[in-house]
Amino acid sequence: MAGIGPLTQDWEPVVIRKKAPSAATKKDEKVVNAARRAGAEIESVKKSNAGTNKAASSGTTLNTRKLDEETENLAHERVPTELKKAIMQARTDKKLTQAQLAQMINEKPQIIQEYESGKAIPNQQIIGKLERALGTKLRGKK
């Protein structure tokens, strides 16, 4: 390329810097200790509800206060004694086990066990299934 004239280069200095540390790295124990050794100011703020599962307003709310002031002892209705005895009697008359009866009504054996022990919360659908499977009236007047 002779004859064009002197070539000049226009180089500008390029400065390469590391990225500024992110918030997570600023909180890293090593970084904090290095800053302490260097004499830098370190601000530490304890968040009031940090690491807890409490709501931001941990004061008692209106509903909580109502529940605390409630004196009535509330409990779920349980299977009456007459019903559990009727289920047991009808099942034994048909010579069925709890598991067999449960399979007939498409429920778990544990459900039959809970009904016969009186621990279950009465469900009209299940009682209806039991009536059909056992061929007897379990609820209402006999």
Side-chain angles (χ1 to χ4, degrees):
M1 292 211 159
I4 293 186
L7 292 176
T8 59
Q9 293 182 350
D10 189 23
W11 296 100
E12 292 184 23
V14 177
V15 179
I16 299 174
R17 293 188 188 139
K18 288 185 177 180
K19 265 200 293 187
S22 66
T25 14
K26 287 180 185 176
K27 295 177 187 173
D28 186 29
E29 192 175 344
K30 290 179 184 176
V31 175
V32 172
N33 287 338
R36 283 187 184 137
R37 275 186 244 114
E41 283 189 31
I42 297 171
E43 179 184 352
S44 62
V45 179
K46 176 157 176 30
K47 294 186 178 178
S48 60
N49 286 340
T52 63
N53 198 13
K54 294 180 181 176
S57 60
S58 62
T60 52
T61 61
L62 184 62
N63 290 337
T64 310
R65 194 174 315 121
K66 280 182 184 177
L67 285 173
D68 288 342
E69 292 170 356
E70 186 64 49
T71 57
E72 186 179 347
N73 198 2
L74 303 174
H76 289 288
E77 180 187 345
R78 299 287 178 210
V79 176
T81 311
E82 307 85 44
L83 177 61
K84 64 182 187 179
K85 285 182 180 177
I87 293 171
M88 274 190 260
Q89 187 63 48
R91 181 178 59 80
T92 51
D93 288 348
K94 286 218 168 197
K95 295 182 175 73
L96 293 171
T97 64
Q98 289 180 344
Q100 289 169 333
L101 178 58
Q103 191 173 12
M104 285 175 69
I105 66 167
N106 291 328
E107 294 290 341
K108 293 179 180 175
Q110 182 183 357
I111 300 289
I112 306 300
Q113 190 176 2
E114 287 175 355
Y115 270 84
E116 289 187 0
S117 65
K119 294 179 183 174
I121 298 169
N123 181 341
Q124 296 304 315
Q125 273 188 318
I126 294 176
I127 295 172
K129 289 180 186 180
L130 286 168
E131 286 178 337
R132 273 182 257 118
L134 296 170
T136 182
K137 189 118 171 99
L138 298 172
R139 50 192 168 169
K141 305 236 182 203
K142 291 188 176 181

